[in-house]
Amino acid sequence: MSATAILDLGTNTFNLLVRNADGALVFSDKIPVRLGAGGLRDGVITPDAADRAVAAIAQHLVSARSYGASRSFAFATSAMRTTSNGAELAARIERETGQPINIIDGDQEAAFIAEGVAQAWPELSERHLIMDIGGGSTEFIIRESGRNLWAESFTLGVTRLFERFLPSDPPTAAQWIEIDAHLDRELAPLWDALAANPCRILLGSSGSFDTLYNVMAHRVGRPELELGQCRAEFDLSAWRATSDAVQSATTEARILMPGMLAMRAETLHLSARQIDLVLAQLNARRMLLSGFALKEGVWSSIQDPKTPWRAYFW
């Protein structure tokens, strides 16, 4: 049975998912490319980051082939769509590896994320807010009874915030005030959407949420997420202390926290800050986690033989 590979090319991490024709998981992996590092502030992808991207794609394709994939789809998000040389990098990747790159807009990214999250929580019909924190952008989707009520992508990814504010390690009180004001101002459309569609459930999508869950789990004596686990629920009573610890620690101290994924340590405090702001706005009573996100959402789209997305066949 032939398999399909899906590559999610984020601003920080390049993710690989390989599934059989029946949808069963074959293999998954991630490479910390840091595509936006050193360039997002100027709207470019640096030469070093571009080289890391090409090497990561080549490595993922080798893995995909070794696990029986006969085709691969690659989707690029915020870093490639918002930089002046993102399309140039996509062309280089295709030229050097054979892999076509589908650069998607924020609306399509949010739609894929919502579809992926729904696979992890198919029975969740109550209105909820999906939040996906990336390096270049953060997506929000208000969803109810299997239908998206509202969705928007904001250029508030943690790498973008880090490069914009260049905070101390850890940030000073004055820097947090400045960051909070920026987030509150930029998220005004979300606050308006929530006023029209109130909900009290936050559903975090993969990435930063996975790592924050594992850090919290260690603090309260719970097991970490298991490999392939697609869902969990945060203990809100334990979240506050976990978030405070992550936000007040230095990067070096965060790296040493049990449950921490080292490649997220530099910016995880900015993820926690965004989450706290949203939890307060929701007056949330539940905080859920989906281990599924964009790449799982892509899976549904590519089942159509007439799918518009470009693929690499071998």
Side-chain angles (χ1 to χ4, degrees), residues 142 150 152 154 184-185 187-198 281:
I142 300 175
W150 177 92
E152 190 161 335
F154 295 84
D184 188 54
R185 182 170 57 252
L187 289 173
L190 172 62
W191 306 153
D192 290 342
L194 288 171
N197 302 279
Q281 191 74 25

Side-chain angles (χ1 to χ4, degrees), residues 67-219:
Y67 282 91
S70 60
R71 61 176 184 165
S72 56
F73 294 83
F75 295 84
T77 56
S78 183
M80 282 200 212
R81 72 171 172 253
T82 62
T83 50
S84 60
N85 59 342
E88 178 184 333
L89 174 58
R92 176 188 167 190
I93 291 170
E94 183 170 5
R95 186 171 62 250
E96 295 187 17
T97 71
Q99 178 65 58
I101 306 299
N102 299 286
I103 301 177
I104 57 175
D105 63 23
D107 290 342
Q108 184 62 71
E109 183 176 1
F112 280 150
I113 290 166
E115 179 62 33
V117 168
Q119 293 175 35
W121 290 91
E123 81 286 5
L124 183 61
S125 59
E126 185 177 348
R127 188 180 301 162
H128 55 281
L129 176 66
I130 298 170
M131 180 179 186
D132 185 286
I133 303 171
S137 63
T138 299
E139 280 66 47
F140 291 96
I141 306 101
I142 300 175
R143 189 172 172 90
E144 182 179 16
S145 300
R147 186 168 61 93
N148 294 344
L149 305 181
W150 177 92
E152 190 161 335
S153 177
F154 295 84
T155 53
L156 294 173
V158 289
T159 299
R160 200 177 294 276
L161 289 174
F162 187 84
E163 295 209 348
R164 177 187 177 98
F165 292 99
L166 297 174
S168 305
D169 188 20
T172 64
Q175 288 171 334
W176 277 130
I177 290 171
E178 185 180 10
I179 292 168
D180 288 347
H182 175 71
L183 290 171
D184 188 54
R185 182 170 57 252
E186 293 298 311
L187 289 173
L190 172 62
W191 306 153
D192 290 342
L194 288 171
N197 302 279
C199 55
R200 297 189 61 196
I201 299 174
L202 178 63
L203 205 173
S205 167
S206 194
S208 295
F209 284 93
D210 287 349
T211 303
L212 286 164
Y213 181 90
N214 285 338
V215 172
M216 182 201 72
H218 277 275
R219 293 175 63 90

Side-chain angles (χ1 to χ4, degrees), residues 241-261:
T242 301
S243 179
D244 287 348
V246 168
Q247 291 181 49
S248 62
T250 63
T251 301
E252 184 178 359
R254 280 194 296 275
I255 289 173
L256 297 176
M257 289 180 176
M260 180 63 63
L261 190 62

Side-chain angles (χ1 to χ4, degrees), residues 26-71:
V26 176
F27 178 72
S28 65
D29 195 13
K30 62 182 67 178
I31 299 175
V33 173
R34 301 182 71 240
L35 186 61
L40 282 187
R41 194 172 189 177
D42 299 318
V44 298
I45 295 169
T46 67
D48 285 348
D51 289 344
R52 291 194 298 271
V54 175
I57 294 287
Q59 182 177 332
H60 274 331
L61 291 177
V62 169
S63 297
R65 289 190 188 98
S66 71
Y67 282 91
S70 60
R71 61 176 184 165

Side-chain angles (χ1 to χ4, degrees), residues 272-294:
R273 195 74 174 193
Q274 282 198 62
I275 292 167
D276 280 346
L277 189 65
V278 173
L279 286 172
Q281 191 74 25
L282 294 178
N283 188 24
R285 59 179 178 79
R286 296 182 74 188
M287 182 174 169
L288 309 178
L289 166 68
S290 167
F292 290 170
L294 183 145

